[in-house]
Amino acid sequence: MFALVDCNNFYVSCERAFQPHLEGKPVVVLSNNDGCLISRSAEAKALGLRMGEPYFQVKDQLQRHQVRVFSSNYALYGDMSGRVMHYLSSRVPDVEVYSIDEAFLDLRGMERYHGNLAAFAQTLRQQVRKRTHIPVCIGIAPTKTLAKLANRVAKKVPTLNGVLYLDSEPRRQWALAQVPVEDVWGIGQQYATKLHAQGITTAAHLAAMSEGWARKHLGGVVGARLVRELQGVPCLTLAPSEDGTLARQSIACTRTFGKPLSAYPDVLGAVAAFTTRAAEKLRRQHSAVHLLTVFISKNRFGTEPPPYTFSTTLQLPVATSDTAELIRYARTALKRLWLPNTQFKKAGVIFDGLEAAGQQQLSLFEPTAKIKQRDRLMADLDQLNTRYGTGTVGFAVAQVYKGAAGVEWAGRQQQRTPAYTTNFEELWHIQMDGPRLPRRP
């Protein structure tokens, strides 16, 4: 059995965790640079606000309905996600962290210890809410695809109280009939249009198709697996995730700038900062990289002519996770791409070809002692930044964003709440009402 745990309106729920007076009120959270709506409370959805709508287009509507608006606070959201996932990992044998607000749980053999899995799921919901103030819904089924489908139904049907356990054929058929085919995990808009044209409008209709039909119309073996999963035959297992036991195969860090940049030092600072962040993720999963890609992009809606994006990939002579080395190669890549007198709106760094750290092919001419010395330096760097906050210690060229000081490439976050859980300078303040007790002499 698999379970999918999904945090409800996660970014909004994180804001409400520290501002409980927002419960029951319409709330939205904006994307980078306060561009679009990326998280909406149930009350905001009821007002007709759609996911991905540009902020400037709905600003008047938000003000008219007194909707509370927040900029993205990824430091807070990432930490709250870690707390949810840590608790879930302590209760089940294996966890796949599917995204910042979703996780698949392996529930094999859990009936022996907890009896009814629906009751166990209710306990998980209550404990997550008690420990983190984050509401979640849980779908349980014999396959991952059905678990995701059950989770969707559990969110939509209030009488289920946030949990749906597909433990019988009638319940599976009922759940399949509740979900439109376009909402099935793995069915995109293109396939949804084709399926509707053939009269297949619900997940139940799709599950009734044969494996041969799925191979012909849904992309071969991938489509066949999807149909078999809907029929209750498990074809997917827990997959790699950043916080799981298996390492990711690529790592990226990209950002849209708060304003267009045309000065080389400013763009270099952004690329170096993104390289620093990606290198931290690389070391966290004990990997090294030997393919590094850097890209820079112009504003597609500006006056600059196409092409809008420029990229280059370097093959490193030795796979590494050393931030200093990676920044050096990123600088080389940026020099190849640089166009003077050009305004850039976005940049990013992508690591591919990852290898296990300590097992990569080393250089014949570099002393092993020097490599170990750099590894110790990176370990000390990570330890300091973990203890005192991201960007406390780093490389000058990176201009790591920290606090309200800002850097040229930093995105707009005019309505960001404090990073209550990860920054000592932004700790939650408690204000006492009423008269204060006199201090002891």
Side-chain angles (χ1 to χ4, degrees):
M1 281 290 176
F2 295 93
L4 178 70
V5 180
D6 187 9
C7 302
N8 301 342
N9 311 318
F10 180 59
Y11 293 172
V12 168
S13 296
C14 289
E15 300 293 348
R16 283 175 165 174
F18 293 91
Q19 301 182 72
H21 64 276
L22 296 176
E23 290 287 347
K25 298 180 180 179
V27 181
V28 298
V29 175
L30 306 177
S31 63
N32 286 329
N33 290 311
D34 294 346
C36 319
L37 275 59
I38 58 172
S39 184
R40 304 155 297 154
S41 67
E43 297 79 11
K45 294 176 184 178
L47 295 174
L49 297 169
R50 299 189 302 273
M51 177 70 79
E53 279 192 294
Y55 176 48
F56 75 92
Q57 290 184 359
V58 296
K59 192 172 183 179
D60 291 340
Q61 182 182 0
L62 295 173
Q63 293 176 346
R64 185 165 61 253
H65 293 285
Q66 298 183 335
V67 180
R68 290 296 306 273
V69 180
F70 296 99
S71 302
S72 296
N73 188 344
Y74 294 118
L76 176 64
Y77 306 154
D79 185 69
M80 295 298 286
S81 172
R83 296 177 185 219
V84 173
M85 302 308 172
H86 176 76
Y87 172 71
L88 295 175
S89 300
S90 70
R91 297 303 309 275
V92 297
D94 289 301
V95 173
E96 174 195 338
V97 181
Y98 183 66
S99 67
I100 192 172
D101 62 343
E102 290 181 274
F104 284 103
L105 312 183
D106 185 354
L107 301 183
R108 288 177 298 177
M110 297 300 289
E111 299 97 330
R112 182 184 308 174
Y113 303 101
H114 298 284
N116 186 276
L117 292 181
F120 174 59
Q122 288 292 353
T123 301
L124 289 180
R125 290 187 70 239
Q126 294 166 8
Q127 288 297 316
V128 169
R129 187 62 183 265
K130 179 180 179 181
R131 294 162 184 265
T132 65
H133 297 279
I134 303 296
V136 302
C137 286
I138 303 177
I140 307 173
T143 72
K144 291 176 70 176
T145 304
L146 282 175
K148 199 162 179 67
L149 183 142
N151 183 282
R152 176 177 288 274
V153 177
K155 282 187 173 183
K156 300 294 184 182
V157 182
T159 56
L160 294 174
N161 197 22
V163 173
L164 177 57
Y165 180 19
L166 303 184
D167 56 344
S168 65
E169 182 62 19
R171 291 180 71 84
R172 183 178 72 87
Q173 291 295 339
W174 173 81
L176 289 169
Q178 308 304 309
V179 179
V181 70
E182 59 268 22
D183 291 338
V184 174
W185 188 36
I187 297 295
Q189 185 59 47
Q190 183 177 0
Y191 278 131
T193 302
K194 292 173 60 177
L195 292 171
H196 274 275
Q198 300 184 52
I200 301 173
T201 59
T202 68
H205 295 155
L206 183 58
M209 296 295 104
S210 67
E211 184 176 339
W213 182 93
R215 285 179 178 272
K216 181 178 180 180
H217 298 280
L218 289 178
V221 66
V222 175
R225 287 175 181 169
L226 172 59
V227 169
R228 287 175 64 83
E229 285 258 324
L230 290 175
Q231 293 171 348
V233 180
C235 300
L236 303 174
T237 58
L238 297 189
S241 60
E242 181 179 346
D243 299 325
T245 57
L246 301 176
R248 296 171 67 180
Q249 300 306 305
S250 66
I251 293 175
C253 184
T254 67
R255 294 287 187 276
T256 300
F257 305 145
K259 59 182 179 181
L261 301 179
S262 57
Y264 176 79
D266 293 335
V267 178
L268 174 60
V271 170
F274 303 158
T275 304
T276 299
R277 177 61 179 148
E280 291 172 352
K281 294 183 178 181
L282 191 69
R283 293 191 293 271
R284 190 178 303 150
Q285 68 173 37
H286 308 291
S287 296
V289 58
H290 69 81
L291 287 176
L292 182 149
T293 299
V294 173
F295 74 84
I296 50 178
S297 300
K298 298 186 293 186
N299 187 356
R300 294 179 179 272
F301 306 102
T303 59
E304 297 278 353
Y308 297 109
T309 299
F310 309 87
S311 66
T312 187
T313 300
L314 301 181
Q315 182 168 355
L316 281 56
V318 177
T320 182
S321 61
D322 186 337
T323 300
E325 285 290 298
L326 293 170
I327 289 178
R328 182 166 66 87
Y329 287 113
R331 185 200 298 264
T332 300
L334 182 61
K335 286 181 178 179
R336 292 185 183 181
L337 301 173
W338 186 250
L339 298 174
N341 303 318
T342 302
Q343 290 190 330
F344 294 100
K345 185 64 176 176
K346 185 177 182 180
V349 176
I350 305 171
F351 293 164
D352 289 303
L354 305 189
E355 304 177 5
Q359 300 181 22
Q360 67 267 39
Q361 181 67 48
L362 301 179
S363 171
L364 184 64
F365 305 103
E366 188 170 16
T368 304
K370 184 177 179 180
I371 297 175
K372 292 182 178 179
Q373 185 180 29
R374 291 207 308 264
D375 290 342
R376 289 195 298 269
L377 175 62
M378 291 299 104
D380 292 341
L381 184 69
D382 291 339
Q383 186 177 8
L384 287 170
N385 287 329
T386 299
R387 181 173 181 180
Y388 296 107
T390 301
T392 300
V393 182
F395 294 84
V397 68
Q399 304 181 48
V400 176
Y401 178 84
K402 186 171 186 288
V407 288
E408 287 296 316
W409 53 266
R412 293 190 298 271
Q413 293 181 309
Q414 297 177 352
Q415 302 173 82
R416 182 182 73 83
T417 51
Y420 299 108
T421 61
T422 58
N423 191 329
F424 281 111
E425 297 177 0
E426 300 180 17
L427 283 177
W428 196 19
H429 295 279
I430 299 177
Q431 181 175 349
M432 296 180 61
D433 294 329
R436 296 179 177 271
L437 295 175
R439 290 187 177 184
R440 292 184 179 181

